Amino acid sequence: MVRSEETKPQVKAARTRGRPRSFDRTTALEQAVLAFWEHGYEATSVSDLTRVMGIGAPSLYAAFGDKQALFAEVVTEYGTRYGSFTDRALAEEPTAGAAVARILREAASEYTAPGRPHGCLVIHAATNCTTPEVEDLLRERRNANLVALERRIEADIAAGELPAGLDATALARHTGAVIQGMSQQARDGASREELAAVAEIAMNIWPRT
């Protein structure tokens, strides 16, 4: 029997029916970053994610795993796209003091940038978090930054750039507290100029030889 031309569209539809809708994974991940950044881990539901990412739950699970696995990827993506200014400053500046001054100045700008959530995702997403694995992930990220800063301070002490006997751990934690405070104040509406003034005061008390 010769198949009529009228059946061809039907055959094509049958072949494509049920095929998963394709989507841009990079764009979907960016939308997930913004959602978690704005609302935190606990307050962002799977339905919130599928809505902003423009995909169904099956596609989300197939592409990213569950909510917790997606969040882990979000944290990595955030660190690469938005949070890398800390690592760059520590790597590029000649002293710990210069690195911290740059980090605080850039934090004032990054935490208040228009068109995206304010503050730091790694700090804010832990608010009201009741998932131990997520709390641990974010705590490890924050502590890793403190360790990197502490090591840089210790190197400056050894090189004579900072006073001998200085408590490197306390100074690193002081800097971390300033950064975390700037993040929260940015979420509360502080402007870039106001946070830059905070950074200036913090650097005025930075130890000197």
Side-chain angles (χ1 to χ4, degrees):
M1 177 181 296
V2 178
R3 181 176 297 171
S4 69
E5 291 296 322
E6 294 178 356
T7 64
K8 289 183 179 180
Q10 297 173 3
V11 172
K12 182 177 181 181
R15 289 174 177 171
T16 58
R17 188 180 299 120
R19 182 179 298 169
R21 185 177 67 173
S22 62
F23 65 95
D24 185 329
R25 192 180 191 282
T26 300
T27 299
L29 180 60
E30 172 65 9
Q31 293 305 311
V33 169
L34 296 175
F36 281 122
W37 193 353
E38 177 65 30
H39 303 291
Y41 179 80
E42 294 294 342
T44 305
S45 66
V46 171
S47 61
D48 293 330
L49 292 166
T50 56
R51 184 181 67 255
V52 300
M53 295 167 77
I55 60 177
S59 294
L60 185 152
Y61 292 127
F64 299 100
D66 60 13
K67 175 184 171 182
Q68 191 171 315
L70 170 60
F71 182 72
E73 188 169 346
V74 158
V75 171
T76 299
E77 180 70 8
Y78 172 85
T80 300
R81 294 195 59 176
Y82 301 105
S84 58
F85 65 90
T86 297
D87 291 338
R88 287 197 304 270
L90 288 173
E92 296 172 3
E93 294 300 326
T95 66
V100 169
R102 175 173 162 182
I103 289 168
L104 296 182
R105 287 195 305 269
E106 294 190 6
S109 178
E110 292 290 333
Y111 291 171
T112 59
R116 67 192 196 208
H118 286 177
C120 172
L121 179 148
V122 176
I123 296 170
H124 172 66
T127 303
N128 298 323
C129 184
T130 59
T131 305
E133 295 82 0
V134 171
E135 287 184 311
D136 290 344
L137 171 67
L138 295 173
R139 187 182 301 111
E140 287 171 5
R141 288 272 178 163
R142 294 192 298 271
N143 286 341
N145 288 336
L146 289 177
V147 169
L149 182 55
E150 182 179 346
R151 288 175 178 169
R152 189 63 192 276
I153 292 170
E154 289 173 341
D156 274 19
I157 294 172
E161 295 286 348
L162 288 171
L166 181 67
D167 189 335
T169 300
L171 184 55
R173 287 198 172 277
H174 173 267
T175 301
V178 172
I179 293 170
Q180 290 179 17
M182 289 172 67
S183 173
Q184 184 57 53
Q185 290 192 19
R187 294 193 66 85
D188 288 343
S191 67
R192 182 185 66 79
E193 291 77 15
E194 289 170 331
L195 294 183
V198 171
E200 187 69 21
I201 291 173
M203 292 314 301
N204 284 341
I205 63 172
W206 184 264
R208 293 171 175 81
T209 53

